Amino acid sequence: MMRTRPLKVALLGCGVVGSEVARIMTTHAEDLAARIGAPVELAGVAVRRPDRVREGIDPALVTTDAAALARRADVDVVVEVIGGIEPARALITSAFENGASVVTANKALLAEDGPTLHEAAEKHGADLYYEAAVAAAIPLVRPLRESLAGDKVNRVLGIVNGTTNFILDRMDSSGTGYGEALDEATALGYAEADPTADVEGFDAAAKAAILAGIAFHTRVRLDDVHREGLTEVSAADIASAKRMGCTVKLLAICERSADGRSVTARVHPAMIPLSHPLSNVREAYNAVFVESDAAGQLMFYGPGAGGAPTASAVLGDLVAACRNKLNGGRGPGESSYAQLPVSPMGEVVTRYHISLDVADKPGVLAQVATVFAEHGVSIDTVRQQGKDGDAWLVVVTHRAADAALSATVEALRKLDTVRGVASIMRVEGE
């Protein structure tokens, strides 16, 4: 039997995502009520510019006082889609203090201060849901928190930023440079006017911190995630990857150590073989591989950004939070019992592709090989090309620790026959 008194929802933010949330709540009101067991209605919509026309939203619901809306006694669930650290953190905390559950898409805040938010939710008997914070419409957070709760997750590997995937896809398919591909992404609306958060890997690193925390039952903060962007990826790197039967992707990688006693989380460009399913993720799509003991390999794929896809994830969480409110239950909270240490990047072991500008004369290859051997880095393949005094050595290593590779590169720079290190890129997915 359906309850007639509606559950009330406060919407903080009404931009691209927030407006879609409001629209779906209105157009799908009957279906949402049937799924929840009670009607849901907007109690208010907090915005910065109240004079802007917002189609489908009653102007009487619009307010600039987000703080007052978040702490209203009659609000059951607060949906936060403002983004950023403050005032979002204060608004969410206030909502919990007043007994409301929270649905958020705020990856930056969760990566920086997720434990505090979880503790506040626990203290006040409320829910904290955040499916939309990672990969938009792709169900990923809930499978990790719930579906795989009885399994042991060993690795999460994926493409979690659509802007960077679009740029790298264009560089690969058309041979354009980074700047031209970024301009195209901006023109199509995939890249922000200031693309720093995307192209420098901050967005993907925040998502990696969230995923690692859930997967390994360990608190992982944004500062724990090694981060490299794609601004240094060149057309030559893309061409080198093709010659190896690979393509270049900006990957988020979270994994347990071989002995299971620590974890790592990192974001950086990497070459992956064309045989790997992630190599075929095109345009602005996202895809994530999850590897666990019992389930094996699972792949999650779909649109990782955009108003409607992100709103879909928000509404899924809203339904869950409302059901819990109606039935007196609670969803899953933070699971950080494992408390595994997060290892530094220097301990990460992977393969490397190094391109060296060297003098075109006898003995260069032997000198370079000696340096690798002295630092305990085993060479898999070497390709040498050049003429008339100009030459290149392309070295692909077997698996080596990042610290050992860094020491090797520093030693190579000191050789008179090495004019420069053109590029260094990790090789993943093998």
Side-chain angles (χ1 to χ4, degrees):
M1 186 175 186
M2 184 177 296
R3 191 181 82 167
T4 57
R5 183 173 69 81
L7 292 159
K8 294 196 173 183
V9 178
L11 179 59
L12 309 183
C14 196
V16 173
V17 175
S19 59
E20 281 294 314
V21 170
R23 181 189 67 79
I24 295 172
M25 284 185 65
T26 302
T27 57
H28 295 179
E30 290 186 7
D31 286 339
L32 291 172
R35 294 166 191 170
I36 293 168
V40 289
E41 67 176 30
L42 281 173
V45 182
V47 300
R48 291 179 180 174
R49 293 180 287 275
D51 297 334
R52 178 180 294 178
V53 176
R54 293 174 173 84
E55 186 177 348
I57 296 177
D58 183 352
L61 295 175
V62 176
T63 178
T64 57
D65 195 344
L69 180 58
R71 61 174 178 262
R72 265 177 49 175
D74 63 333
V75 167
D76 296 289
V77 181
V78 170
V79 174
E80 184 274 311
V81 286
I82 297 172
I85 306 302
E86 293 291 358
R89 174 164 43 200
L91 294 170
I92 290 174
T93 301
S94 178
F96 287 143
E97 291 170 350
N98 286 274
S101 291
V102 172
V103 173
T104 180
N106 197 328
K107 53 188 168 288
L109 178 56
L110 288 162
E112 179 171 303
D113 208 17
T116 300
L117 298 183
H118 278 291
E119 287 170 1
E122 178 74 24
K123 178 180 178 180
H124 297 286
D127 280 331
L128 175 61
Y129 281 100
Y130 46 92
E131 184 67 66
V134 182
I138 304 173
L140 189 57
V141 171
R142 187 171 281 111
L144 284 172
R145 285 216 292 183
E146 300 179 35
S147 304
L148 295 173
D151 205 344
K152 179 184 178 183
V153 176
N154 296 308
R155 196 176 196 224
V156 179
L157 165 74
I159 298 163
V160 295
N161 183 275
T163 301
T164 52
N165 198 58
F166 179 88
I167 291 170
L168 290 170
D169 184 43
R170 280 292 183 269
M171 291 176 70
D172 181 80
S173 60
S174 63
T176 60
Y178 165 77
E180 187 177 346
L182 174 59
D183 289 342
E184 185 178 356
T186 303
L188 291 172
Y190 291 128
E192 301 287 345
D194 179 1
T196 303
D198 292 325
V199 300
E200 294 293 353
F202 290 101
D203 175 84
K207 295 170 182 176
I210 295 169
L211 292 174
I214 301 170
F216 306 133
H217 306 280
T218 292
R219 288 180 172 178
V220 179
R221 297 173 59 91
L222 182 58
D223 291 344
D224 295 322
V225 182
H226 174 82
R227 175 192 55 80
E228 298 173 28
L230 54 72
T231 54
E232 299 301 317
V233 177
S234 66
D237 292 326
I238 303 293
S240 291
K242 285 187 174 182
R243 284 193 289 269
M244 285 181 59
C246 295
T247 189
V248 177
K249 298 291 185 182
L250 186 75
L251 298 179
I253 306 170
C254 314
E255 56 190 353
R256 292 180 189 268
S257 60
D259 62 10
R261 295 179 181 177
S262 64
V263 298
T264 58
R266 51 197 164 102
V267 168
H268 54 70
M271 297 181 179
I272 57 172
L274 295 178
S275 58
H276 195 285
L278 287 179
S279 70
N280 295 313
V281 178
R282 313 302 297 269
E283 301 286 332
Y285 276 76
N286 286 188
V288 177
F289 257 82
V290 176
E291 300 174 8
S292 67
D293 277 359
Q297 288 189 337
L298 306 172
M299 182 173 176
F300 301 83
Y301 170 84
T310 306
S312 171
V314 169
L315 266 295
D317 281 349
L318 179 62
V319 168
C322 286
R323 283 174 175 168
N324 293 340
K325 280 286 182 181
L326 192 63
N327 299 322
R330 286 194 61 210
E334 182 189 29
S335 176
S336 59
Y337 73 90
Q339 298 181 338
L340 297 171
V342 182
S343 297
M345 187 63 188
E347 297 179 13
V348 171
V349 176
T350 188
R351 297 180 68 204
Y352 290 86
H353 175 280
I354 306 105
S355 181
L356 303 172
D357 180 4
V358 299
D360 186 15
K361 62 182 184 181
V364 173
L365 178 56
Q367 285 185 322
V368 168
T370 297
V371 169
F372 275 89
E374 288 174 346
H375 290 83
V377 178
S378 176
I379 293 175
D380 182 16
T381 62
V382 178
R383 186 177 71 252
Q384 185 171 6
Q385 60 190 44
K387 61 180 180 179
D388 300 327
D390 293 323
W392 294 88
L393 276 182
V394 178
V395 180
V396 179
T397 73
H398 288 290
R399 291 174 63 83
D402 186 84
L405 194 282
S406 295
T408 302
V409 171
E410 287 306 307
L412 289 170
R413 294 183 193 276
K414 296 176 182 178
L415 293 178
D416 293 338
T417 52
V418 175
R419 296 169 175 170
V421 180
S423 68
I424 304 171
M425 191 169 294
R426 297 171 184 88
V427 182
E428 300 283 351
E430 295 184 313

